[in-house]
Amino acid sequence: MAIVYLSLGSNIDREKHLCAAMDALVEAFGDLKMSQVYESEAVGFEGDNFYNLVAAIDTDLSVGELALRLRDIEDANGRVRSGPKFSARTLDIDILTYDDLTGEVDGIALPRDEILKNAFVLLPLSEVAPQAAHPVVGKTYQELWEGYDQTSQKLWPVPFSWPEV
């Protein structure tokens, strides 16, 4: 089984789509380890704020099979792919790391470069896996977060209840 870290984000009906995504992930992969949910401003375009989190799953699917499964979850939540790359979205699920694989695997670049670029990825990843090391730079996610310019992107925790009871 591979340990995979996923980044989830939504800026359209945020709570509904993130809850639906986590329900689908639990159904497909079993227990999730997840960060708290953060709100952040849109990066790369003008738009509503996003809710973001990181989840850890275990899977025996290949990278390509996993990417297809995640795409299905996005599509089931109304993801529209016809617009610009940086735009509003109901749900975005990205593979951040898949064990310690590096390079392009099944068309997916690993580890995802957003880990080092975006607070909305690095901070929740450092919560879920503080002592895990980035497979290329070798520093732990906690060390990377401590060295990150934390004033460069606005990010704040939000109350979030899942699973809904």
Side-chain angles (χ1 to χ4, degrees):
M1 295 287 268
I3 297 172
V4 178
Y5 296 107
L6 304 171
S7 174
L8 288 79
S10 173
N11 77 334
I12 299 172
D13 209 354
R14 304 173 297 187
E15 289 186 32
K16 172 188 168 189
H17 291 115
L18 287 181
C19 285
M22 291 183 289
D23 289 343
L25 290 172
V26 166
E27 185 176 322
F29 304 106
D31 289 338
L32 295 180
K33 183 176 181 184
M34 58 181 270
S35 69
Q36 61 185 321
V37 175
Y38 290 90
E39 186 169 0
S40 66
E41 296 175 336
V43 173
F45 70 99
E46 293 292 323
D48 293 335
N49 289 352
F50 276 80
Y51 276 4
N52 297 281
L53 69 116
V54 166
I57 62 168
D58 295 311
T59 185
D60 57 1
L61 295 177
S62 70
V63 173
E65 292 168 331
L66 176 59
L68 289 174
R69 179 75 59 93
L70 299 176
R71 187 179 177 99
D72 288 345
I73 294 170
E74 291 173 338
D75 290 347
N77 282 278
R79 173 71 184 265
V80 175
R81 299 179 193 283
S82 60
K85 178 179 179 181
F86 295 108
S87 61
R89 55 202 57 193
T90 56
L91 185 61
D92 189 27
I93 308 174
D94 295 318
I95 301 170
L96 299 176
T97 64
Y98 185 104
D99 277 344
D100 289 330
L101 292 179
T102 61
E104 190 164 314
V105 180
D106 296 337
I108 306 295
L110 295 170
R112 191 165 181 91
D113 65 351
E114 288 184 356
I115 294 171
L116 301 176
K117 293 179 179 177
N118 290 312
F120 64 82
V121 174
L122 183 55
L123 176 56
L125 182 56
S126 73
E127 278 183 17
V128 171
Q131 298 309 311
H134 188 284
V136 173
V137 300
K139 292 184 177 180
T140 67
Y141 297 117
Q142 182 174 345
E143 291 171 326
L144 289 169
W145 177 246
E146 289 168 357
Y148 186 85
D149 177 4
Q150 297 178 19
T151 64
S152 66
Q153 293 176 349
K154 293 181 182 175
L155 186 71
W156 54 97
V158 293
F160 191 87
S161 178
W162 178 85
E164 296 179 285
V165 287

